[in-house]
Amino acid sequence: MARDYYEVLGVDRGASSEEIQGAYRKLARQYHPDVNKAPSAEDRFKEINEAYHVLADPDTRVKYDRFGPDFRQIPDDFAGAAAGGPGRSSRAGSAGSAQRPGGGPRAYTSPGGSGINIEDLLGGMGGGVGGFDSIFDSFRSSGPVAGADQEAEIQLTVEEAFTGGKRHITLSSGAGERSYDVTIPPGVTDGQRIRLAGQGGQGGQGGARGDLYLVVRIKPHPRFRLEGRDIYADLPIAPWEGALGATVPVMGPGGELKVTVPAGTSSGRRLRLAGEGMPNRKGKPGDLYAVVQIMVPKRLKKRERELFEELASVSNFDPRSEKK
């Protein structure tokens, strides 16, 4: 026996049409076969669609609430008779046979046990079994159904995420390949979603297409590290630049910047460049932090060695005893 449609969508029986639509869109996005590759996803998606078709239409929902799983066998004109009439339970009992032409008449068994031959009831209206088929099948359709929203990932470098711009992408699915021209807003962050309106799943019975959401994934970078909108970049400097101070270049995702290194700077110190991190169209941009790394020559020339030896002989500096 099919599950209760309210249970399928995970809503209460008194749920509003907006709540039903919201639940459907969420579940359809989760179980759409193009997104969810689990073996059971397609069957679950069909079950969700069927439940939404019934509950999204006010008239069909009323019939479902009144007759439960047997609602499809009850034409609107005979709902009262099928329900058992005055004094009977408003919820119908189990259904009898409902066969196609050639397989016998359709019958509904009321709670009191009396059979109602739907073919006989329709015969006087010029419907016959074929007429009933038309009415019966009409209950399978409940109007336009919006297409499911879909998700896909788009991978960007730190530089691409920083500057934004146009990208042409091609996505593959069970339905084949589709290409899109995407506008990347400057300053997108990892996990942010870019909405392509009307590019999602196909709607049913004339319903609008769903939306496609591109989930941004920023690739690892050899020079930059991201924390939210803040960017961290290593800044190699010479020993004398750290000791004496200097103004040196540092590369950011948007190009070269200048940073002042205060005298007495050691490795690991973070030098903040306010507002030079990831842009933010809706608020404050991030900062760029230049993380100092003091580098020494791998090979010393004769004069360089003499100067370092002279420095070592006259300096009382002990980095192992200095307060950090």
Side-chain angles (χ1 to χ4, degrees):
M1 181 177 293
R3 281 204 297 156
D4 180 86
Y5 289 150
Y6 291 98
E7 179 185 343
V8 170
L9 295 181
V11 297
D12 296 331
R13 299 192 75 81
S16 66
S17 58
E18 290 79 11
E19 290 172 327
I20 288 173
Q21 186 179 55
Y24 165 74
R25 291 175 71 88
K26 178 180 178 181
L27 291 170
R29 185 186 307 126
Q30 181 179 353
Y31 289 100
H32 194 284
D34 286 347
V35 177
N36 192 326
K37 302 303 181 183
S40 60
E42 184 173 357
D43 289 340
R44 181 80 170 98
F45 182 72
K46 291 178 180 178
E47 182 183 45
I48 292 163
N49 264 313
E50 181 179 358
Y52 179 70
H53 271 73
V54 172
L55 299 184
D57 182 88
D59 294 335
T60 310
R61 182 179 178 183
V62 168
K63 289 183 60 182
Y64 178 74
D65 288 346
R66 189 171 183 183
F67 300 108
D70 303 322
F71 79 102
R72 295 192 190 279
Q73 301 186 36
I74 311 303
D76 291 337
D77 292 343
F78 303 104
R88 300 289 182 93
S89 167
S90 63
R91 192 169 181 84
S94 62
S97 62
Q99 303 171 10
R100 293 287 177 184
R106 304 170 189 265
Y108 175 80
T109 303
S110 68
S114 60
I116 298 176
N117 191 318
I118 301 299
E119 182 182 2
D120 291 341
L121 289 174
L122 291 176
M125 298 173 61
V129 174
F132 178 79
D133 283 340
S134 177
I135 295 174
F136 183 85
D137 290 341
S138 70
F139 294 135
R140 299 187 182 276
S141 173
S142 55
V145 178
D149 291 343
Q150 298 176 344
E151 284 189 354
E153 288 190 356
I154 178 171
Q155 294 196 342
L156 303 175
T157 65
V158 174
E159 292 88 347
E160 289 171 333
F162 182 89
T163 58
K166 298 286 187 180
R167 283 284 302 275
H168 183 78
I169 64 171
T170 300
L171 300 177
S172 300
S173 69
E177 291 188 343
R178 293 186 66 185
S179 296
Y180 307 89
D181 290 316
V182 183
T183 299
I184 309 296
V188 293
T189 56
D190 193 77
Q192 186 172 335
R193 301 198 307 168
I194 300 172
R195 176 174 174 257
L196 301 183
Q199 298 298 322
Q202 182 69 49
Q205 303 177 63
R209 295 186 71 105
D211 298 331
L212 173 63
Y213 289 90
L214 300 178
V215 182
V216 173
R217 296 299 178 207
I218 298 181
K219 301 176 183 178
H221 198 282
R223 189 165 59 248
F224 303 121
R225 299 178 299 280
L226 299 182
E227 291 186 13
R229 294 192 177 276
D230 292 337
I231 302 172
Y232 290 79
D234 291 335
L235 177 63
I237 64 172
W240 50 91
E241 290 175 329
L244 303 175
T247 298
V248 299
V250 59
M251 286 301 299
E256 185 178 282
L257 302 167
K258 295 291 185 181
V259 60
T260 298
V261 179
T265 293
S266 298
S267 287
R269 183 171 182 176
R270 299 186 308 175
L271 305 176
R272 176 171 171 259
L273 285 78
E276 297 293 348
M278 297 295 282
N280 186 356
R281 295 183 302 163
K282 299 182 179 180
K284 184 180 176 182
D287 299 327
L288 187 144
Y289 290 91
V291 183
V292 173
Q293 292 183 335
I294 294 181
M295 311 295 288
V296 298
K298 290 184 177 180
R299 293 182 178 84
L300 294 174
K301 296 178 181 178
K302 181 179 179 181
R303 181 56 179 157
E304 289 175 328
R305 178 173 290 278
E306 291 173 350
L307 290 172
F308 272 110
E309 289 173 346
E310 181 180 350
L311 176 62
S313 66
V314 301
S315 177
N316 294 322
F317 175 66
D318 183 356
R320 288 163 293 281
S321 65
E322 289 289 316
K323 293 183 179 178
K324 295 181 179 181

